[in-house]
Amino acid sequence: MPEQNSFPFPEPSPGTQPATGTSAPVATGTPPPAADAALPADGTATSASAVVPVPVAGRAPPPSPRRPLWARFMGWLVDPWLELKLEPADLDIQADPRPVCYVLEDYGLSNALILDKACRQAGLPSPLVPLPRDPTGRKRAYVALSRRNAAPLIPDQRPAKRTHSDSLARLLQAHRADPALDVRLVPVSIFVGRAPDRQSGWFSVLFSENWALVGRFRRLLALLLNGRDTLVRFAEPVSLRESVDEGLPPERTVRKLQRVLRAHFRRIRAAIIGPDLSTRRLLVDKVLAADTVREAISDQARRDNSKPAEAWKKAHAYAWEIAADYSHPVVRSASFLLTGIWNKIYRGVLVHHLDKLKEAAPGHEVVYVPCHRSHMDYLLLSYLLYERGIVPPHIAAGINLNLPVVGTILRKGGAFFMRRSFRGNPLYSAVFTEYVAQLVSGGYSLEYFIEGGRSRTGRLLQPKGGMIAMTLRAFLRQPTRPVLFQPVYIGYEKLMEGNSYLDELSGKAKQKESIWSLLWGIPKVLRSNYGQVVVNFGEPIRLGEVLAERAPDWDGKPVNEDEKPAWLADTVDALAQKIHVNINGAADVNPINLLALAILSTPKHAMGERDLLAQIALSKTLLAEMPYSDRFTVTPHTPEEIIAHGEEIGVLNRIPHPLGDVLGVDDDTAVLLSYFRNNVVHLFTASSWIACCFQHNRRMSRRTLVRLGRTVYPFLQAELFLPWSEDEFAERVDRIADVFVREGLLQQINDDEGGILQRNQGQSDEVFRLRAIGHTLQQAFERYYIAISVLVKNGPGTLGAAELESLCHLAAQRLSLLYAPAAPEFFDKSLFRGFIQKLRELRLVWPDQNSKLLFDDRLDTWAKDAKMILGRELRHTIERVSPEAARSEPVETPSE
C-alpha cells in the first residue's frame, strides 16, 4: 500500500491567527497561515466560541486511578501561575470508551503538569496515570516526539541520535501483539505566552513561545511570567489500530506516524505564533542540498585534492557564517531599547508614503533598497517596519559588522552577512547565491544596499548590480511570486559617523569596526542631539513590468541556473539605475540641507542673517513652484525656524555685529555640510543650470539656454540619477526661467531678438542670490572641463580611460590645493569615471585598437560652450594644471 503523506488531523480553527503584535501584514516575507481569521485587538488568539476557560458544565471527571503524589504536589505549586485556555470547546473524547493516549511535541515536566491540569479542567482522563496494561511501560498516558537531551556524563560520549519516539514505537508494537487493543491518539499543543503584541512587557516578550526548544530554567521563567496566558489545543483523536492495520513494516509505520505528527504540530504552531523565521535552522540544509552547491562542493574537493566531506564542512561553515537567525523576542526587545534611544538622540522620526507600500505590497516578494548613509540605516528601517506592523526584512550586511555580541544581535534581527568580495572563492559564491535564492523562493522580504557601502560625500554612489542579479536569477529560477523593489530614502540632519567621514575625506585610512570602538562611542552618542530623521518610501518598481520592457521574449517559464539570457545584464543595469532614480525622487529637504545649500555658496562660508533668510526662502519657493516628484518632501519650517534649529544642534555659529549678526560655519563643519548639500543637489539641477549660465553672462537667449542644457544634461543625468528625458529637462528649464523672472532674479527683454533673459548689473541682492543657487553645480562643470582639457592637451590616441581618470583626479586635487578648497567629491575618481563612460556612450570619444581614446572636433564645440559657463581665469587655471601623460623618449643607438 503506498505511504500516505497526510493524517486526519483537522486544520486550525478560525480564531487561531498568529499573534505577531502587528497590524495586517504587508509583504511579511513568509507565507501566512491558511484561512485563519483575524486577531482581536489585544493580540490574543482567542474567540468566544473556541476557548474553554472553565470546566465543561455537567461533565465530571471519569473514575480513574489517583494521580501520583508528586504530580498532586507539583500541580498544587504551579496552579497559581497557570491560567489555561482550551481549544476547541466541542471536543467530546469521553463519548468513546476506548482508552486515550496524548501526544506532546516535546517532553518536559512543565508540559506534563499543564496537560494534566488541562485534562482535569476539561473532564478528560489524566495523562499521569497509566493506560490499561500500560503498553508504553512508563506508567503514564502520554508520549512525546522529542526531548531536551541532557549533557553526557562523559564528554566524548554522545547519546545516539534517535529517529523516532521509543514510547510511540512500543505503543504501536502493543497493538500488533494484542488485536483487541485500540488506543486513540490525541495530539495536544501547548503554548506558554504566544507571540506578544507591541504593548506586552519586555520580559514577557523575552520568554514568549517561539519555535526553539528551550532549557528548564528558561521554561520556568516563561511559566512565571506568561503562565497565565497559556493555550492548550487538542486535536481530534485518531485510532492507532487503523494505522497498524495499514500493514506497513513496523519501523516504517512509526516513522510515518511521527512525521505526520510533526507536520501537524508545525502547522498548529505556525497558526498560533506565526511562521518560523529562523533561516539558520530551516535554510542551511536546503542550501547545502541544492544541486548548484553540491556541484560547487565537488569542484572544491577536486581543487583541494581533499575528500568531499571536507569540502562539505567548508560549505556548511560558509552557510552558517552567512545565514540569519531571526528571533521574535530579540526583535521585540530591540524595539523596546531603540524606542528609548530614538527619543533621546533624535527629535523624531518621520515616515512618508508607507501607506502606498502597504497598498502595493500584498502578494509580492518585497525587496527594500534604501540609500546608505549611516550604520543606523540597518536599525532604523527594520524598527520602523516592525513598529508599523510589518515583519522586518532579512538584511544583507557586510561581514565587518559581524562583531562579538553585536553580530549576534544583528543576526537575530534578520541580518545575514556577506563578504566584500567573492572573487577567487566559487564555493562561497555558490553558497551565498543559493541562500539568497532560498530567501526569495521562500517569500522572505529582503533589504540590501546596492551602493555597496556608505556614501562619504552624500551623493548616491554608482550602483553595484550583484545583489540585484542574484534576486533576478532567483526569481527567474522559480517565478511563482512577483517581486517588488521598494526604494527608500533616509535623510539625517546630523550623522553619527560625521567625524570619521571627515577623517576619511581628509585622506586618513578608514578605521576598522570593532566592539571596543562601538562601546567607547555609546556615551557620546547618547549625549548628542542628532536632529530629526525622515524616511520616505519611493515609487515601487515591479520586476514583472521591467522584464516585460527589457525581456519581451521571456515567456514566464523558469530559467535554469546555467542559462544566461542576453537581456539579463541590461535588465540588471536598468533596475539599478531605476532604483537610484526613485530613491532620489523620494528625497526629503530638511533644515540642514537648506542651510548647507545657502551657507556653502559663499567663499568664507558665512552670511548675514537677512541674506541667509532670503536664500532659504528662495530655495523653498523653487521647490514649491517646480516639484521634483510626487514623493519628495520639504520641511514645513519657516526660514527663521530653520536658522534657530541650525544653532540649536550646533551647526551654525552666530557672530554678533552692530550692523547685523553674521551666521557661519568653521572649515570642518563646512566639509560635513557639503554632505547634506549633496543629499538634495539633484532637486535644484535645472535651477542651478540657469544660474550657472548667468555667472559670466549678463544676457542669454532662451533658445541658447535650452540648447546648452540639452548638451550637458546627459552628463548631469548620469551623475545625479535624474528622471527626465532631454525634452522634459528642456521644458523644465524654460518653466523655471519664468519663476526666476517672477522672483526678480532675471528680466525678460522683449526686443527684436526676442526671448532674451538678462540679470541685473553689479553686485545686487538678486545677483548674489542667483550666484548662490548656481554654486551647487559649478564644480560639476569644472570637473567636466578638466577631463576635456586633459584629453585635448594629450591628444587623441594617447590616453586610456584609466589613465585619463587618474590624470583628472590629480588635476582636480591640485586645483583644490592651490586655490579655494573644493567639496570632497570634486576630485572623486568615480565621478570622473562616470563622465568618461558617458563620453564613450555618446561616441564623443572611442577606443582604438590599443584601448587609447580617440576624439574629433566635436570636443572643440564642448570647449566653446564651456566659455559661456566658466570664467576666463578659471578656464586658464584648469588648462594650466591639466597634466600630460608621461611619455617614454626613444633611445637613440650611437652610430659606430
Side-chain angles (χ1 to χ4, degrees):
M1 180 177 180
E3 185 173 341
Q4 302 295 317
N5 290 322
S6 61
F7 208 69
F9 295 130
E11 293 291 334
S13 63
T16 56
Q17 178 82 358
T20 59
T22 64
S23 60
V26 177
T28 59
T30 53
D36 293 317
L39 279 175
D42 63 356
T44 60
T46 66
S47 70
S49 62
V51 177
V52 185
V54 295
V56 178
R59 178 182 297 170
S64 61
R66 291 176 62 84
R67 294 177 297 139
L69 180 62
W70 66 266
R72 283 178 278 164
F73 176 72
M74 294 298 296
W76 174 77
L77 286 179
V78 301
D79 267 353
W81 304 97
L82 291 177
E83 183 176 335
L84 308 185
K85 299 174 183 177
L86 310 184
E87 294 183 0
D90 56 353
L91 182 64
D92 192 5
I93 296 178
Q94 286 298 96
D96 192 325
R98 290 177 294 176
V100 170
C101 181
Y102 304 97
V103 184
L104 298 175
E105 193 171 5
D106 58 276
Y107 281 107
L109 177 60
S110 61
N111 284 343
L113 295 174
I114 292 171
L115 176 60
D116 180 55
K117 180 173 181 176
C119 290
R120 286 187 286 115
Q121 183 171 315
L124 300 176
S126 172
L128 299 180
V129 297
L131 290 166
R133 290 180 288 183
D134 193 16
T136 64
R138 293 182 177 272
K139 297 182 180 180
R140 61 193 180 203
Y142 77 93
V143 298
L145 299 185
S146 60
R147 66 170 65 245
R148 303 175 185 88
N149 292 323
L153 297 177
I154 303 175
D156 294 334
Q157 182 179 357
R158 295 185 179 181
K161 185 177 180 181
R162 289 181 293 183
T163 60
H164 58 267
S165 168
D166 291 339
S167 297
L168 189 60
R170 283 197 292 270
L171 193 56
L172 288 169
Q173 184 58 36
H175 280 71
R176 292 186 179 88
D178 184 1
L181 183 62
D182 188 2
V183 174
R184 292 175 299 157
L185 212 58
V186 179
V188 183
S189 302
I190 298 174
F191 303 97
V192 180
R194 288 148 290 164
D197 59 20
R198 294 195 300 272
Q199 285 73 42
S200 301
W202 184 40
F203 281 101
S204 297
V205 173
L206 283 177
F207 297 101
S208 62
E209 192 73 53
N210 56 60
W211 283 81
L213 291 177
V214 297
R216 294 181 178 88
F217 179 69
R218 183 181 175 90
R219 188 65 168 183
L220 174 63
L221 292 179
L223 286 172
L224 295 178
L225 293 168
N226 296 320
R228 293 179 180 86
D229 183 23
T230 298
L231 174 69
V232 180
R233 178 177 176 79
F234 292 87
E236 291 286 346
V238 174
S239 171
L240 285 181
R241 171 58 55 192
E242 294 178 2
S243 295
V244 172
D245 289 346
E246 288 182 359
L248 297 175
E251 186 176 352
R252 189 174 177 187
T253 300
V254 69
R255 284 206 311 266
K256 173 193 172 183
L257 182 57
Q258 180 148 317
R259 183 177 67 250
V260 175
L261 285 167
R262 289 191 186 281
H264 165 77
F265 283 122
R266 282 197 301 270
R267 187 168 63 250
I268 297 296
R269 184 169 290 271
I272 299 298
I273 67 172
D276 188 356
L277 298 179
S278 176
T279 56
R280 265 191 167 182
R281 182 148 41 89
L282 294 178
L283 295 184
V284 165
D285 289 343
K286 290 184 179 180
V287 168
L288 297 178
D291 291 340
T292 54
V293 175
R294 293 169 65 182
E295 291 175 7
I297 290 173
S298 299
D299 293 341
Q300 185 72 33
R302 284 194 295 269
R303 282 193 300 270
D304 296 343
N305 196 22
S306 62
K307 296 180 179 179
E310 295 298 321
W312 184 92
K313 289 180 181 179
K314 184 179 290 188
H316 183 272
Y318 288 154
W320 203 249
E321 172 192 296
I322 292 166
D325 189 20
Y326 186 91
S327 166
H328 184 91
V330 171
V331 170
R332 186 66 192 115
S333 302
S335 75
F336 277 112
L337 179 64
L338 290 175
T339 298
I341 292 177
W342 300 144
N343 292 334
K344 187 171 183 62
I345 67 177
Y346 292 127
R347 293 186 56 181
V349 180
L350 300 181
V351 182
H352 300 115
H353 312 305
L354 181 59
D355 55 332
K356 297 179 181 178
L357 167 64
K358 289 185 175 182
E359 293 175 5
H364 289 79
E365 158 77 10
V366 179
V367 180
Y368 299 93
V369 275
C371 59
H372 201 7
R373 304 277 162 79
S374 167
H375 280 316
M376 300 304 290
D377 300 340
Y378 298 100
L379 302 176
L380 187 62
L381 184 55
S382 292
Y383 170 82
L384 290 175
L385 292 172
Y386 179 79
E387 285 297 306
R388 283 156 177 79
I390 302 175
V391 173
H394 281 60
I395 310 165
I399 194 67
N400 57 307
L401 295 179
N402 192 18
L403 304 171
V405 181
V406 174
T408 300
I409 294 174
L410 291 177
R411 197 185 294 277
K412 288 187 175 294
F416 60 96
F417 296 100
M418 61 186 298
R419 299 183 180 182
R420 289 297 181 187
S421 175
F422 300 178
R423 185 172 300 173
N425 194 341
L427 179 59
Y428 181 87
S429 178
V431 171
F432 188 88
T433 302
E434 182 60 32
Y435 179 78
V436 173
Q438 291 292 340
L439 291 179
V440 174
S441 62
Y444 296 87
S445 57
L446 298 177
E447 176 189 336
Y448 46 73
F449 303 91
I450 62 174
E451 295 172 87
R454 291 168 292 156
S455 171
R456 266 62 172 182
T457 65
R459 293 168 177 254
L460 287 176
L461 305 178
Q462 287 295 322
K464 295 177 172 60
M467 288 298 299
I468 296 177
M470 290 183 196
T471 306
L472 179 54
R473 292 202 67 95
F475 169 76
L476 293 174
R477 192 176 77 176
Q478 193 174 351
T480 55
R481 186 183 180 111
V483 175
L484 184 82
F485 288 92
Q486 177 57 64
V488 182
Y489 177 93
I490 304 176
Y492 299 92
E493 291 185 341
K494 195 173 181 180
L495 286 172
M496 293 184 181
E497 299 95 333
N499 290 331
S500 65
Y501 285 1
L502 185 63
D503 291 341
E504 292 176 38
L505 293 171
S506 63
K508 294 183 181 179
K510 176 182 178 292
Q511 290 187 352
K512 186 178 181 181
E513 288 82 359
S514 70
I515 186 63
W516 302 115
S517 62
L518 176 65
L519 294 175
W520 186 262
I522 287 177
K524 181 180 177 182
V525 167
L526 295 178
R527 292 193 303 267
S528 300
N529 178 3
Y530 291 95
Q532 196 173 67
V533 184
V534 176
V535 179
N536 285 351
F537 289 81
E539 183 72 29
I541 303 167
R542 289 174 171 79
L543 179 57
E545 295 177 359
V546 176
L547 288 173
E549 177 185 351
R550 295 279 171 173
D553 296 335
W554 181 58
D555 55 5
K557 295 181 180 179
V559 177
N560 293 332
E561 193 73 28
D562 296 334
E563 296 182 43
K564 293 185 178 179
W567 43 263
L568 184 64
D570 289 341
T571 304
V572 170
D573 291 342
L575 267 171
Q577 292 294 319
K578 182 65 174 175
I579 288 169
H580 268 14
V581 168
N582 288 12
I583 290 175
N584 270 346
D588 174 74
V589 185
N590 63 42
I592 306 305
N593 299 140
L594 293 172
L595 287 173
L597 283 165
I599 210 76
L600 296 182
S601 64
T602 61
K604 295 193 69 174
H605 305 142
M607 267 189 178
E609 186 170 10
R610 185 174 64 86
D611 292 332
L612 183 55
L613 289 169
Q615 197 63 35
I616 293 173
L618 174 61
S619 296
K620 294 195 68 175
T621 297
L622 291 171
L623 292 171
E625 291 283 345
M626 288 295 297
Y628 186 86
S629 72
D630 61 350
R631 298 218 180 195
F632 94 108
T633 53
V634 183
T635 176
H637 296 305
T638 64
E640 292 79 8
E641 291 171 335
I642 289 172
I643 290 177
H645 180 63
E647 293 182 85
E648 179 185 353
I649 67 173
V651 171
L652 281 181
N653 298 321
R654 180 180 289 271
I655 304 172
H657 193 275
L659 299 181
D661 291 355
V662 174
L663 294 159
V665 297
D666 56 40
D667 291 341
D668 286 348
T669 305
V671 175
L672 290 177
L673 278 182
S674 70
Y675 187 100
F676 298 97
R677 179 193 63 188
N678 291 341
N679 290 168
V680 297
V681 66
H682 62 283
L683 302 177
F684 296 90
T685 306
S687 304
S688 297
W689 164 248
I690 296 172
C692 283
C693 288
F694 287 93
Q695 298 291 316
H696 304 284
N697 302 280
R698 186 165 175 239
R699 293 183 179 183
M700 184 178 290
S701 69
R702 283 181 181 258
R703 188 180 303 108
T704 302
L705 185 68
V706 171
R707 179 184 63 80
L708 292 176
R710 287 178 177 274
T711 302
V712 77
Y713 178 69
F715 303 97
L716 296 175
Q717 183 183 31
E719 181 175 326
L720 300 176
F721 304 101
L722 302 176
W724 313 294
S725 65
E726 284 189 21
D727 290 339
E728 291 169 337
F729 181 71
E731 180 184 357
R732 193 173 183 86
V733 167
D734 195 53
R735 291 175 60 189
I736 291 181
D738 293 335
V739 178
F740 277 25
V741 171
R742 189 166 66 249
E743 290 294 313
L745 302 180
L746 296 174
Q747 293 92 39
Q748 177 81 40
I749 301 176
N750 295 318
D751 56 10
D752 294 340
E753 296 181 19
I756 298 296
L757 297 171
Q758 175 180 287
R759 65 167 169 81
N760 291 345
Q761 291 184 349
Q763 298 300 315
S764 65
D765 288 347
E766 291 76 17
V767 172
F768 176 80
R769 292 160 68 191
L770 198 64
R771 183 180 298 115
I773 287 292
H775 186 268
T776 57
L777 276 189
Q778 185 73 20
Q779 290 182 349
F781 299 132
E782 293 174 14
R783 281 199 313 275
Y784 300 164
Y785 192 74
I786 287 173
I788 298 300
S789 176
V790 172
L791 263 176
V792 172
K793 195 168 188 176
N794 284 274
T798 304
L799 300 175
E803 294 172 289
L804 176 59
E805 177 187 319
S806 297
L807 291 178
C808 290
H809 169 73
L810 293 174
Q813 201 174 50
R814 182 171 177 80
L815 191 67
S816 179
L817 292 172
L818 290 174
Y819 301 95
E825 75 275 6
F826 181 65
F827 41 85
D828 186 356
K829 275 189 175 184
S830 65
L831 295 180
F832 284 111
R833 188 181 310 126
F835 178 73
I836 296 167
Q837 178 61 31
K838 201 64 184 179
L839 287 174
R840 295 182 62 172
E841 290 178 12
L842 296 176
R843 295 294 296 172
L844 290 171
V845 299
W846 60 93
D848 62 11
Q849 64 273 16
N850 297 318
S851 297
K852 303 298 183 181
L853 296 178
L854 302 173
F855 54 89
D856 54 25
D857 294 341
R858 286 177 296 172
L859 283 186
D860 291 337
T861 305
W862 252 85
K864 291 176 182 177
D865 289 340
K867 294 178 182 180
M868 305 185 72
I869 304 170
L870 304 177
R872 179 184 302 173
E873 182 179 352
L874 180 59
R875 295 199 312 274
H876 176 70
T877 301
I878 290 175
E879 291 167 1
R880 193 155 52 87
V881 300
S882 297
E884 293 187 73
R887 292 181 173 85
S888 56
E889 297 295 335
V891 179
E892 296 184 4
T893 304
S895 57
E896 295 180 0

